[in-house]
Amino acid sequence: MRDKPSIILLSIDSLRYDCVAWAPVRPHLEALGIDGPPATPELDRLVAGAYCFTQAIANAPYTTSSHASILTGLVPPQHGVRAFMRTALGAAVPTLPEMLARAGYRTLLMSDVPRFLNPVGLARGFEQVVSDPEQALAWWGCYPDSPRFMLLHYLDVHLPYGFSKSPADDEINSRWLAHNRARIEPRLGRWFSNGRFDYGGCKKQLHAVHRGIVQGEDGLRRGLEWYLDGLAWFDAHRLRSLVRRLEELAAIDRSIIVVFGDHGEGHDPTSCYRLGHACLMFDDVIRVPLAIRHPDSAAGARPGDFRAVGGQCSLADLTPTLLDFVGELGRWERPEHPWTGRSLVPRSAGERNGWPAYAEYWSRFLRPGSNEMEWTLRQRIVRTSRHKLSLIGRQTNGIRDWAELPAEAFAAQLYADVLGRHASAEDVARRARWARWGGGLGRWVEYQRVRHSREARQIPKIALYDLPDDPLERAPQPIDAAGDAERWAHEMLDAMEAIDRNACPGEPLEIANGERSLIEARLAELGYLD
């Protein structure tokens, strides 16, 4: 067993692609007049000598679905974890820790928020699940003669940025709050006294502070300034502590280390909250950093040394890549599918070609005819190194499809299908009054007004973007003209229909009644629930 290298996966939740040293371009920061990200010496030390993939794509803009793709090598329709906290991994889907355990590996998952990874099946195959990095590192030291696989999931770069989500870090968070007093003290002063603060009392309020900062026209820049400060804080504190402990254990130079963001943190023009991630999949949300450091190729490397690898890949490629590194890919290789993960080992050996990446985003909308919420596939994309094809909404064919709907259902559909976003009950009620008063003509007028609104024009329902020429995705192209890009777009539309027909339905969540309220409270603190 000693011949097989140990593996450490470091998932830095919400880490943007343009906030790492190896990013070749930073158009989203430059557009806001931000010179660049902060120095991150500990992150640079950890990936010294790594292969850094400059066009890695997350398969979903939220943690559960993205990590499911990372740990299975499949995209969301294949593994079944789709709408956030609604379905779990399909029973027949093997996970990376299960595969490695069959090869003799000891396995452990450390997450700041294990409560919402466990119910969706992401703990399957791990011997232990802990929320304290010290426990994880102690476990690592207990098995020096066995290959080990450890996934470390940190949420410090998740909003509110820089704040540790681990329940064991009150002291670090006290210092963080003091560091941010000018920004947030007026809102949280009553939780702050004598250099300490009430952790349990202020967690929920921190999210409210974040929403206040990122709201309004200048919210994106203000939020990103806090985000960059939080990334620097994380690098200087919790990440520094982790790197030092890994060095003490001689783990860095003897293990395969993979560092990535499970999704980014970016802009959503359809929301008054300008910065987030479970939102429209522009590149600042869906493009992520990915670095793979192999001990055989990184020996003697210094911080700042890395091997940039071009061509697109996705996080679903991690499972086959790691199985390839440890000689287990042949046992688990699946029949070829256009979006199933593929090994990146040939790419690290010099092969430059990339392949398309698929991602999808589910959101909650008002159910037509009621005040209840339902989950809907809001957006899906297919991206290559040059083009991105984006589909938003359920693609209805026009007002005739809604002729028989009640007024409230008609109003809700306007938001879901035309604007492509969730509406508040007050918004729906206001539009429903107009629909009831105006009858058929009123509905037609309202539909046309919304369809031609600035917001609807800003986010087209079906769009093709040329990313090198339009990196901020502000100039969608028509897909009904002749040309190679348009033919590719139509092929991808057909492929999406095929993957929908063969989608894995996923499994019900396994949450005990006593756990449900704790999970929902934790998700609300992190901003995932209203």
Side-chain angles (χ1 to χ4, degrees):
M1 292 299 177
R2 293 181 182 180
D3 294 334
K4 293 185 181 295
S6 292
I7 303 170
I8 300 173
L9 266 61
L10 175 58
S11 172
I12 303 176
D13 204 292
S14 307
L15 183 63
R16 287 170 59 109
Y17 82 97
D18 52 6
C19 292
V20 294
W22 63 86
V25 293
R26 310 181 196 275
H28 290 86
L29 293 183
E30 293 169 0
L32 293 170
I34 298 174
D35 293 335
T40 52
E42 302 304 327
L43 181 60
D44 296 348
R45 182 192 302 269
L46 196 58
V47 301
Y51 294 98
C52 296
F53 295 84
T54 60
Q55 289 206 60
I57 305 302
N59 302 105
Y62 36 80
T63 298
T64 51
S65 293
S66 181
H67 277 86
S69 291
I70 291 161
L71 293 174
T72 64
L74 302 172
V75 294
Q78 295 171 319
H79 57 60
V81 182
R82 304 188 76 177
F84 184 72
M85 295 301 293
R86 300 297 295 176
T87 54
L89 279 176
V93 178
T95 66
L96 179 59
E98 288 178 314
M99 301 177 203
L100 292 175
R102 288 275 300 272
Y105 277 76
R106 310 303 300 255
T107 60
L108 177 137
L109 166 64
M110 191 295 297
S111 173
D112 289 339
V113 286
R115 274 204 173 103
F116 72 82
L117 297 181
N118 291 344
V120 298
L122 298 182
R124 188 191 301 169
F126 288 105
E127 297 174 26
Q128 293 189 44
V129 179
V130 300
S131 59
D132 184 353
E134 283 301 319
Q135 286 181 267
L137 295 168
W139 168 89
W140 183 274
C142 289
Y143 303 103
D145 296 325
S146 299
R148 290 147 288 182
F149 171 67
M150 181 167 65
L151 170 58
L152 305 171
H153 175 219
Y154 283 78
L155 268 85
D156 299 63
V157 186
H158 191 289
L159 67 92
Y161 312 118
F163 182 84
S164 172
K165 315 310 183 295
S166 172
D169 284 330
D170 280 7
E171 182 177 351
I172 289 178
N173 282 337
S174 293
R175 286 185 280 153
W176 176 88
L177 191 65
H179 175 73
N180 283 280
R181 278 190 88 168
R183 181 181 286 124
I184 65 176
E185 195 275 338
R187 297 287 297 275
L188 293 179
R190 64 194 178 98
W191 281 278
F192 186 90
S193 63
N194 300 321
R196 300 286 295 176
F197 78 99
D198 175 10
Y199 176 86
C202 81
K203 284 188 294 183
K204 293 181 180 179
Q205 285 70 26
L206 284 174
H207 176 59
V209 170
H210 171 269
R211 293 182 71 146
I213 287 176
V214 303
Q215 191 172 17
E217 290 301 320
D218 196 37
L220 180 58
R221 181 184 175 86
R222 295 175 65 208
L224 275 175
E225 289 172 346
W226 187 2
Y227 175 91
L228 295 172
D229 186 65
L231 174 58
W233 180 268
F234 168 63
D235 188 88
H237 293 84
R238 286 188 84 200
L239 186 58
R240 184 177 188 275
S241 176
L242 172 66
V243 172
R244 295 297 180 270
R245 291 285 286 117
L246 291 175
E247 289 176 335
E248 292 171 6
L249 294 167
I252 293 179
D253 292 332
R254 300 178 185 177
S255 308
I256 297 172
I257 296 180
V258 183
V259 179
F260 58 89
D262 63 338
H263 50 72
E265 186 81 343
H267 70 291
D268 181 359
T270 69
S271 171
C272 62
Y273 302 109
R274 301 295 178 181
L275 183 65
H277 53 263
C279 58
L280 296 179
M281 294 187 289
F282 296 103
D283 264 14
D284 49 357
V285 173
I286 209 69
R287 187 173 173 182
V288 293
L290 171 61
I292 302 176
R293 185 184 191 276
H294 195 287
D296 292 344
S297 59
R302 295 176 298 177
D305 294 340
F306 55 84
R307 299 171 171 86
V309 181
Q312 183 177 267
C313 62
S314 82
L315 294 183
D317 297 324
L318 277 179
T319 282
T321 299
L322 294 173
L323 292 175
D324 199 356
F325 271 132
V326 302
E328 294 290 323
L329 182 60
R331 182 190 297 188
W332 298 99
E333 204 160 16
R334 301 180 179 91
E336 185 174 349
H337 185 281
W339 291 322
T340 299
R342 291 177 250 185
S343 173
L344 297 173
V345 172
R347 300 268 291 281
S348 63
E351 183 180 300
R352 290 309 215 193
N353 294 328
W355 40 76
Y358 171 89
E360 65 178 37
Y361 160 44
W362 290 66
S363 184
R364 296 191 302 166
F365 290 93
L366 285 174
R367 180 179 298 161
S370 77
N371 289 323
E372 297 180 1
M373 305 294 288
E374 69 176 4
W375 287 89
T376 301
L377 182 55
R378 178 181 181 188
Q379 184 185 13
R380 65 185 84 182
I381 66 159
V382 177
R383 188 190 189 281
T384 67
S385 297
R386 183 167 190 91
H387 292 105
K388 178 188 284 186
L389 175 66
S390 168
L391 281 79
I392 295 177
R394 287 171 284 193
Q395 308 306 317
T396 56
N397 295 321
I399 196 67
R400 293 184 185 88
D401 294 340
W402 306 334
E404 305 301 322
L405 288 178
E408 290 78 5
F410 168 80
Q413 292 281 35
L414 280 178
Y415 281 92
D417 290 317
V418 180
L419 298 180
R421 69 173 173 87
H422 165 60
S424 69
E426 292 79 10
D427 291 337
V428 169
R430 184 169 59 252
R431 292 197 188 278
R433 285 195 297 271
W434 173 253
R436 282 193 296 270
W437 178 80
L441 177 60
R443 289 190 180 197
W444 182 85
V445 171
E446 184 73 352
Y447 173 75
Q448 294 298 328
R449 189 180 73 80
V450 172
R451 187 167 69 89
H452 295 291
S453 67
R454 178 175 178 269
E455 183 183 29
R457 293 197 310 272
Q458 188 175 19
I459 307 296
K461 306 294 289 181
I462 304 178
L464 179 66
Y465 299 94
D466 189 315
L467 297 172
D469 293 340
D470 181 25
L472 301 180
E473 301 165 62
R474 293 176 175 173
Q477 302 176 337
I479 63 168
D480 56 357
D484 292 340
E486 288 71 23
R487 284 194 292 272
W488 169 82
H490 286 289
E491 290 174 3
M492 292 301 103
L493 289 171
D494 292 340
M496 285 183 189
E497 291 183 6
I499 200 171
D500 283 343
R501 286 194 297 269
N502 298 304
C504 170
E507 300 293 322
L509 294 186
E510 296 181 2
I511 306 177
N513 289 334
E515 282 281 288
R516 183 173 296 277
S517 60
L518 294 175
I519 293 170
E520 290 178 351
R522 196 74 174 97
L523 294 175
E525 291 165 11
L526 295 171
Y528 284 109
L529 298 180
D530 298 330

